[in-house]
Amino acid sequence: NAGVTQTPKFQVLKTGQSMTLQCAQDMNHNSMYWYRQDPGMGLRLIYYSASEGTTDKGEVPNGYNVSRLNKREFSLRLESAAPSQTSVYFCASSPRMGSSPYGYTFGSGTRLTVV
Amino acid sequence: GQQLNQSPQSMFIQEGEDVSMNCTSSSIFNTWLWYKQDPGEGPVLLIALYKAGELTSNGRLTAQFGITRKDSFLNISASIPSDVGIYFCAGLNYGGSQGNLIFGKGTKLSVKP
């Protein structure tokens, strides 16, 4: 099925460990995004990539890095995980940032726990 | 930065009842979107609104883009158990952060059979 695929679905890390969350879309979208969702906080933008070859910080970028590997793939890396990074992470994509249609397509999320 | 105030935060209603939720902002938005998130899944787009005053329906869902461009509401008529989930509003300002959507904090809907 066409859409946004995230891996892994679940992950438990120890404080200080590193990991990379993977995201791939097969809709030929130009723009991709990483959000985190915490109870009562809604969706907060971590990083985004308006187009292949570009990345920019969102609202809460500290502690994260991203790589837009190619048009399809956008990864999120935690270099040294902290308990405050326990969250559900969503990847999303859209045809082109700032242009109609504006709706984002979301993946099903990665549930990360840092102990 | 820009923020959306979404209310109510949660609702617990009887099956068959109508539901109403809204979002307000201190800033003008050019586009309003409404998403639904089922438990354990990512948000899915329900309705998109592009013009001030626009009223759009999608089955039992109706959403409106406020005349002032600073608010939007979503109504669900005759709720059913599968309406359970979290509903998010999202706004887009063409002149804002390079076109990023701004999300409300969500309205959690619970439906009692």
Side-chain angles (χ1 to χ4, degrees):
Chain A
N1 293 332
V4 178
T5 302
Q6 290 183 238
T7 56
K9 292 188 181 300
F10 301 93
Q11 184 70 50
V12 178
L13 290 178
K14 292 183 179 180
T15 298
Q17 285 185 320
S18 62
M19 80 161 294
T20 300
L21 281 64
Q22 307 287 352
C23 175
Q25 53 90 11
D26 58 6
M27 297 171 287
N28 201 35
H29 284 175
N30 287 290
S31 304
M32 298 185 73
Y33 316 83
W34 275 105
Y35 285 88
R36 61 178 289 173
Q37 184 178 28
D38 302 294
M41 298 296 291
L43 292 159
R44 293 185 292 171
L45 184 65
I46 305 172
Y47 270 93
Y48 65 95
S49 172
S51 60
E52 185 179 357
T54 69
T55 61
D56 285 287
K57 296 178 180 179
E59 179 185 357
V60 288
N62 291 344
Y64 305 96
N65 285 301
V66 291
S67 296
R68 183 74 184 266
L69 304 172
N70 47 57
K71 190 172 185 178
R72 291 185 63 249
E73 299 173 287
F74 188 38
S75 63
L76 179 71
R77 182 162 179 83
L78 287 71
E79 291 290 352
S80 179
S84 61
Q85 293 178 304
T86 294
S87 187
V88 182
Y89 292 85
F90 288 100
C91 178
S93 69
S94 67
R96 186 179 297 278
M97 177 181 278
S99 299
S100 179
Y102 299 103
Y104 294 4
T105 300
F106 283 85
S108 58
T110 295
R111 284 146 188 82
L112 176 67
T113 301
V114 182
V115 298
Chain B
Q2 294 174 305
Q3 289 187 336
L4 294 182
N5 297 310
Q6 186 172 350
S7 64
Q9 288 186 331
S10 62
M11 302 180 73
F12 191 79
I13 63 171
Q14 293 278 354
E15 182 177 357
E17 289 184 354
D18 296 343
V19 173
S20 184
M21 59 191 77
N22 69 84
C23 268
T24 60
S25 171
S26 58
S27 304
I28 289 174
F29 285 102
N30 302 107
T31 297
W32 284 94
L33 305 170
W34 285 92
Y35 285 82
K36 182 194 177 193
Q37 183 180 24
D38 289 326
E41 297 294 330
V44 174
L45 183 65
L46 297 174
I47 293 179
L49 303 159
Y50 299 110
K51 296 180 181 179
E54 180 180 355
L55 185 70
T56 298
S57 293
N58 179 4
R60 293 178 296 105
L61 277 62
T62 301
Q64 184 159 28
F65 192 143
I67 292 293
T68 65
R69 296 189 172 185
K70 293 182 178 181
D71 62 340
S72 177
F73 73 74
L74 175 70
N75 286 341
I76 305 173
S77 62
S79 59
I80 58 178
S82 62
D83 290 334
V84 165
I86 302 176
Y87 292 80
F88 291 99
C89 61
L92 175 66
N93 182 341
Y94 303 157
S97 308
Q98 300 189 40
N100 285 326
L101 285 181
I102 307 298
F103 284 87
K105 294 184 178 180
T107 295
K108 185 175 182 179
L109 179 63
S110 302
V111 179
K112 185 176 182 180

